[in-house]
Amino acid sequence: MSDGIVLGIDVGGTKLAGMASGGDAPVVRTEPRDDSPIDRQVVELARRLLAAASGSATAVGIATPGRVDVDAGVVDLAVNVGAEAVALGAAVETAVGAPAFVEHDARAVARLLAAEGGHSDVAYLSVGTGISAGVVVDGVPLAGARGLAGEIGHQLADPNGPVCACGLIGCLEAIASGPAIARAAMTGRVAGNGAEITTTADVYRRADAGDPDATAIVDRAARHLAAAVRGLVLAFGVTHVVVGGGVTHAGSPFERPLRRHLAAEREASILVDRALAGTTVAILGDDPLVGARAATLVARQGRVGGPRAAAPPGEEVGHR
Ligand SMILES: [Zn+2]
């Protein structure tokens, strides 16, 4: 039995990844998500990690999609994991008897990238089941007054684009997320040689093989993601942008068109050229534990930044 175990748990669209560090040996567990309430699953994983590490926890960090109230440890609007007003922090604290810190997943990774790289201004653009960004400015993660800063997946990309899961039309997420890319390919029946395309990775593979329809879909996504990178640099003045998430695991078929569109933007606009000069744009690469490592950092750092005041339910932006 050892004390001083720090837990980091990452809640993903399809799985949970957790790690226990500080004990005799680090313990890592990845589990598929089921349909049970997310707080119960996180608590179960925390217990299993502690049992495997043979210790008690000193702090827990949880990275999750959705809107996170870092003060209350509550997550809501996490449509992809079915979490609506879940008191994740309190549930975990009660179960493991240690302080729990909940952070938005992309913001947690941005904090990790800032800490590991020694950068004060970083944006992490996550492109997976959904699209969102975590931004660290002057060393502080930016949550905004409503905890929704960085949710650029629901910025308009194309007014003639598809309907988004959020209800709006033409959101970036409706064009460049993994499901959006797969759906576009299915709609266009890209499936060559009678093969049925069902995954985003397939679309990138076929684009890489020269399929013109798949290439068009991939290129369109890349154009809008390049615009998103530009938007992050212009809006927040970050000097480092890292793009990660499941869609980026396609590798160079993802990266090449993104860099081509970034270069085209710099070619077309001296303002964008100046803004992007000296800005590093990197692809994170396939690191299945980055979320758990980020959550571990959140556990160690505790609350940094966060909404200045929680908005009362029903209050609309701009009403006073
Ligand atoms: Zn949307």
mmCIF file of all heavy atoms in Angstrom, residues 57-61 89 92-93 96-101 299:
data_model
loop_
_atom_site.group_PDB
_atom_site.id
_atom_site.type_symbol
_atom_site.label_atom_id
_atom_site.label_comp_id
_atom_site.label_asym_id
_atom_site.label_seq_id
_atom_site.Cartn_x
_atom_site.Cartn_y
_atom_site.Cartn_z
ATOM 1 N N ALA A 57 -5.323 7.710 -3.197
ATOM 2 C CA ALA A 57 -5.090 8.861 -4.067
ATOM 3 C C ALA A 57 -4.874 10.132 -3.259
ATOM 4 O O ALA A 57 -5.479 10.326 -2.199
ATOM 5 C CB ALA A 57 -6.274 9.043 -5.003
ATOM 6 N N THR A 58 -3.994 10.995 -3.780
ATOM 7 C CA THR A 58 -3.862 12.339 -3.195
ATOM 8 C C THR A 58 -4.604 13.367 -4.044
ATOM 9 O O THR A 58 -5.007 14.405 -3.524
ATOM 10 C CB THR A 58 -2.390 12.772 -3.074
ATOM 11 O OG1 THR A 58 -1.771 12.608 -4.355
ATOM 12 C CG2 THR A 58 -1.662 11.938 -2.059
ATOM 13 N N ALA A 59 -4.767 13.091 -5.328
ATOM 14 C CA ALA A 59 -5.494 14.010 -6.205
ATOM 15 C C ALA A 59 -5.920 13.268 -7.465
ATOM 16 O O ALA A 59 -5.270 12.302 -7.878
ATOM 17 C CB ALA A 59 -4.637 15.207 -6.578
ATOM 18 N N VAL A 60 -7.027 13.719 -8.034
ATOM 19 C CA VAL A 60 -7.534 13.125 -9.274
ATOM 20 C C VAL A 60 -7.791 14.249 -10.270
ATOM 21 O O VAL A 60 -8.359 15.283 -9.920
ATOM 22 C CB VAL A 60 -8.858 12.362 -9.031
ATOM 23 C CG1 VAL A 60 -9.293 11.633 -10.305
ATOM 24 C CG2 VAL A 60 -8.732 11.395 -7.870
ATOM 25 N N GLY A 61 -7.364 14.044 -11.496
ATOM 26 C CA GLY A 61 -7.690 14.970 -12.583
ATOM 27 C C GLY A 61 -8.564 14.252 -13.588
ATOM 28 O O GLY A 61 -8.334 13.080 -13.881
ATOM 29 N N GLY A 89 -16.826 15.819 -10.376
ATOM 30 C CA GLY A 89 -15.818 16.048 -9.344
ATOM 31 C C GLY A 89 -16.266 15.528 -7.992
ATOM 32 O O GLY A 89 -15.541 14.802 -7.304
ATOM 33 N N VAL A 92 -16.363 11.670 -7.760
ATOM 34 C CA VAL A 92 -15.040 11.060 -7.635
ATOM 35 C C VAL A 92 -14.440 11.350 -6.264
ATOM 36 O O VAL A 92 -13.844 10.468 -5.632
ATOM 37 C CB VAL A 92 -14.112 11.536 -8.775
ATOM 38 C CG1 VAL A 92 -12.685 11.048 -8.561
ATOM 39 C CG2 VAL A 92 -14.640 11.050 -10.123
ATOM 40 N N GLU A 93 -14.609 12.568 -5.777
ATOM 41 C CA GLU A 93 -14.072 12.916 -4.449
ATOM 42 C C GLU A 93 -14.668 12.028 -3.366
ATOM 43 O O GLU A 93 -13.960 11.529 -2.487
ATOM 44 C CB GLU A 93 -14.367 14.388 -4.133
ATOM 45 C CG GLU A 93 -13.457 15.346 -4.864
ATOM 46 C CD GLU A 93 -13.607 16.793 -4.413
ATOM 47 O OE1 GLU A 93 -14.457 17.071 -3.538
ATOM 48 O OE2 GLU A 93 -12.878 17.623 -4.932
ATOM 49 N N VAL A 96 -13.193 8.295 -3.837
ATOM 50 C CA VAL A 96 -11.782 7.994 -3.579
ATOM 51 C C VAL A 96 -11.199 8.788 -2.415
ATOM 52 O O VAL A 96 -10.065 8.536 -2.003
ATOM 53 C CB VAL A 96 -10.895 8.200 -4.844
ATOM 54 C CG1 VAL A 96 -11.463 7.449 -6.026
ATOM 55 C CG2 VAL A 96 -10.711 9.664 -5.167
ATOM 56 N N GLY A 97 -11.953 9.767 -1.891
ATOM 57 C CA GLY A 97 -11.492 10.510 -0.723
ATOM 58 C C GLY A 97 -10.306 11.406 -0.988
ATOM 59 O O GLY A 97 -9.438 11.570 -0.131
ATOM 60 N N ALA A 98 -10.256 11.977 -2.184
ATOM 61 C CA ALA A 98 -9.180 12.916 -2.530
ATOM 62 C C ALA A 98 -9.764 14.014 -3.405
ATOM 63 O O ALA A 98 -10.782 13.795 -4.063
ATOM 64 C CB ALA A 98 -8.064 12.187 -3.273
ATOM 65 N N PRO A 99 -9.138 15.200 -3.401
ATOM 66 C CA PRO A 99 -9.673 16.275 -4.258
ATOM 67 C C PRO A 99 -9.635 15.894 -5.737
ATOM 68 O O PRO A 99 -8.667 15.276 -6.194
ATOM 69 C CB PRO A 99 -8.737 17.461 -3.964
ATOM 70 C CG PRO A 99 -7.560 16.901 -3.274
ATOM 71 C CD PRO A 99 -7.981 15.625 -2.617
ATOM 72 N N ALA A 100 -10.717 16.228 -6.433
ATOM 73 C CA ALA A 100 -10.797 15.920 -7.864
ATOM 74 C C ALA A 100 -10.961 17.217 -8.645
ATOM 75 O O ALA A 100 -11.735 18.091 -8.252
ATOM 76 C CB ALA A 100 -11.967 14.982 -8.141
ATOM 77 N N PHE A 101 -10.222 17.346 -9.727
ATOM 78 C CA PHE A 101 -10.271 18.541 -10.565
ATOM 79 C C PHE A 101 -10.736 18.149 -11.963
ATOM 80 O O PHE A 101 -10.155 17.273 -12.594
ATOM 81 C CB PHE A 101 -8.894 19.203 -10.644
ATOM 82 C CG PHE A 101 -8.337 19.567 -9.289
ATOM 83 C CD1 PHE A 101 -7.471 18.702 -8.633
ATOM 84 C CD2 PHE A 101 -8.722 20.747 -8.665
ATOM 85 C CE1 PHE A 101 -6.967 19.016 -7.383
ATOM 86 C CE2 PHE A 101 -8.216 21.072 -7.407
ATOM 87 C CZ PHE A 101 -7.346 20.212 -6.764
ATOM 88 N N ALA A 299 -4.532 17.181 -12.243
ATOM 89 C CA ALA A 299 -4.567 16.746 -10.839
ATOM 90 C C ALA A 299 -3.425 17.383 -10.055
ATOM 91 O O ALA A 299 -3.595 17.806 -8.912
ATOM 92 C CB ALA A 299 -4.479 15.225 -10.761
#
